[in-house]
Amino acid sequence: MIEFVERKRWLFLGLPFTFTKYTVKEDMITIAEGLFKTVENDCYMYKVQDVEHSATLMEKMFRLGTVTCYTGDTTHPQLILTHIKNSKAVKEFILRQSEEERLKRRTVNMLDIGSDEVDDVSGDTDS
């Protein structure tokens, strides 16, 4: 079982002095925040629809990045994994695993691109 465990880091020197922990497993993404009161947010991997990677100049200097997951989750439509190491690897893993989980659960979304404009294929020219 592959699993990424990353901590949110300060942008300055990339030090992990925050109390936010991101866990990305094959079937779920978990964000745990807080010291005295811990709030844990889970999102099943099959609900992830798209993933975006971004890195500011400061993040690039300290080899960090931010991964944004656009989900179909009602509580958090955007999961943002901020200032993490190995951000590109995490993004690629989430993309791959979310597609596999959708195929396992048979919840693949298909886009309807221009189906209204399809010509009549019956061949009738009488009209």
Side-chain angles (χ1 to χ4, degrees):
M1 180 175 192
I2 299 173
E3 179 176 306
F4 284 96
V5 179
E6 295 288 338
R7 288 202 172 272
K8 181 179 178 181
R9 296 170 179 270
W10 281 356
L11 195 52
F12 179 69
L13 298 179
L15 299 173
F17 290 140
T18 64
F19 298 102
T20 302
K21 185 169 97 174
Y22 306 112
T23 306
V24 181
K25 298 179 190 174
E26 291 178 345
D27 61 340
M28 186 177 298
I29 300 171
T30 303
I31 299 175
E33 299 176 291
L35 174 64
F36 296 114
K37 177 185 175 188
T38 303
V39 177
E40 197 170 281
N41 182 28
D42 296 319
C43 179
Y44 287 109
M45 196 63 82
Y46 76 91
K47 290 185 176 185
V48 175
Q49 297 168 352
D50 197 13
V51 182
E52 176 182 79
H53 175 267
S54 63
T56 64
L57 181 60
M58 288 294 286
E59 284 178 324
K60 288 179 188 179
M61 289 173 55
F62 298 111
R63 297 182 185 155
L64 303 175
T66 298
V67 177
T68 305
C69 300
Y70 299 96
T71 69
D73 195 19
T74 55
T75 57
H76 284 84
Q78 285 186 359
L79 292 176
I80 302 173
L81 288 69
T82 309
H83 307 315
I84 59 171
K85 288 192 175 224
N86 305 315
S87 57
K88 284 189 179 182
V90 170
K91 176 200 157 240
E92 293 300 322
F93 177 75
I94 292 172
L95 273 175
R96 222 178 11 260
Q97 280 305 121
S98 65
E99 185 64 26
E100 285 182 24
E101 288 298 314
R102 279 194 300 274
L103 289 172
K104 277 185 195 176
R105 292 181 181 253
R106 297 179 182 170
T107 59
V108 180
N109 293 333
M110 298 294 176
L111 295 176
D112 184 16
I113 303 174
S115 64
D116 294 338
E117 299 173 8
V118 176
D119 292 335
D120 184 18
V121 277
S122 63
D124 293 339
T125 56
D126 301 356
S127 44

